[in-house]
Amino acid sequence: FSSAERYASTLSLPRGGKDIFTRRLGPLARALATSAAPKSLAVLLDRKRGRQFTSGFDRVFLKRVRFGVALMSDGRFAAGARRLRGLGYGFTPSGDDFLAGFLVGLHVVEAFREKKLAKERTNVLRAALGQNPVSNAFLRCAHRGRLFGRFLDLLSALGDPRPDRWQPCLKRFLKMGATSAADTAAGFLFAMKTGGFSWSSKA
């Protein structure tokens, strides 16, 4: 196939797209907090969503998620990834999806901050790989900065000067799986925050 016919899976932003992209992290977080699927890791963006987790399993799951994310937010990436690996619901469990999004976020931080995070990404990947071959495939692609179509469309739209592109892309993205899309986006947002790009899920 010619280069025009091949799917390019890496994120590329237009000139000036970095500033636009980072300004939209807050609106993205708020949109996820209000429109993501129930029992997704959008609960990390809006604590009121914790009321959706009612069973004993739900409460233990949420407690472990918050502990793992706290470790990663503190820079203890491998320790947090081990806590999240294989954790939760779904064909690809929520914890695995979060970690894939986190790996993609580290790639973006690396590009925006012009700093090397290869060691950190590799440490997360090694701690994240488990017994689920589908999750492992997503994680390995995320480690290399390779994105599936709807995620790439969303991140590209976040850096697009046109203001009407990213929200339709988010709607399409959130239709992927039961909670996978929201879980992946939550991981991405937390990687950005870890990298020093602040965002708020509060209006």
Side-chain angles (χ1 to χ4, degrees), residues 34 44 52 66 78 82 116 118 127-128 146 148 160 167 170:
T34 58
L44 298 168
Q52 299 167 351
R66 285 179 169 150
R82 282 191 291 271
K116 299 296 184 183
R146 306 293 187 179
F148 53 87
D160 193 304
Q167 289 170 319
L170 177 61

Side-chain angles (χ1 to χ4, degrees), residues 160-198:
D160 193 304
R162 293 169 291 182
D164 58 347
R165 283 205 62 221
W166 73 270
Q167 289 170 319
C169 288
L170 177 61
K171 288 180 181 179
R172 289 192 294 272
F173 174 69
L174 289 176
K175 292 178 182 178
M176 187 193 73
T179 66
S180 286
D183 300 336
T184 301
F188 172 80
L189 282 166
F190 272 87
M192 296 298 295
K193 179 170 277 190
T194 299
F197 293 94
S198 61

Side-chain angles (χ1 to χ4, degrees), residues 26-191:
L28 172 64
R30 291 191 287 275
L32 283 166
T34 58
S35 59
K39 295 191 178 182
S40 72
L41 295 190
V43 67
L44 298 168
L45 309 173
D46 181 2
R47 294 187 68 88
K48 294 192 294 291
R49 282 178 161 261
R51 294 194 291 264
Q52 299 167 351
F53 295 79
T54 55
S55 72
F57 176 86
D58 287 346
R59 291 191 292 272
V60 172
F61 161 69
L62 189 54
K63 182 178 179 179
R64 183 160 176 172
V65 163
R66 285 179 169 150
F67 182 58
V69 172
L71 289 172
M72 299 188 81
S73 297
D74 196 39
R76 299 170 64 186
F77 294 166
R82 282 191 291 271
R83 291 281 180 171
L84 294 171
R85 179 181 62 204
L87 183 65
Y89 309 95
F91 185 58
T92 55
S94 294
D96 292 348
D97 292 326
F98 180 95
L99 291 169
F102 194 89
L103 284 166
V104 170
L106 290 183
H107 267 285
V108 176
V109 170
E110 189 173 42
F112 285 6
R113 292 290 190 208
E114 297 182 356
K115 61 187 295 187
K116 299 296 184 183
L117 294 173
K119 180 179 179 181
E120 289 81 355
R121 286 188 283 108
T122 297
N123 288 342
V124 171
L125 177 68
R126 288 174 177 168
L129 292 174
Q131 301 301 311
N132 185 326
V134 179
S135 289
N136 289 348
F138 281 136
L139 288 162
R140 289 191 176 102
C141 286
H143 173 255
R144 295 169 58 203
R146 306 293 187 179
L147 286 72
F148 53 87
R150 291 188 190 185
F151 196 19
L152 180 61
D153 289 345
L154 173 60
L155 297 191
S156 297
L158 288 174
D160 193 304
R162 293 169 291 182
D164 58 347
R165 283 205 62 221
W166 73 270
Q167 289 170 319
C169 288
L170 177 61
K171 288 180 181 179
R172 289 192 294 272
F173 174 69
L174 289 176
K175 292 178 182 178
M176 187 193 73
T179 66
S180 286
D183 300 336
T184 301
F188 172 80
L189 282 166
F190 272 87

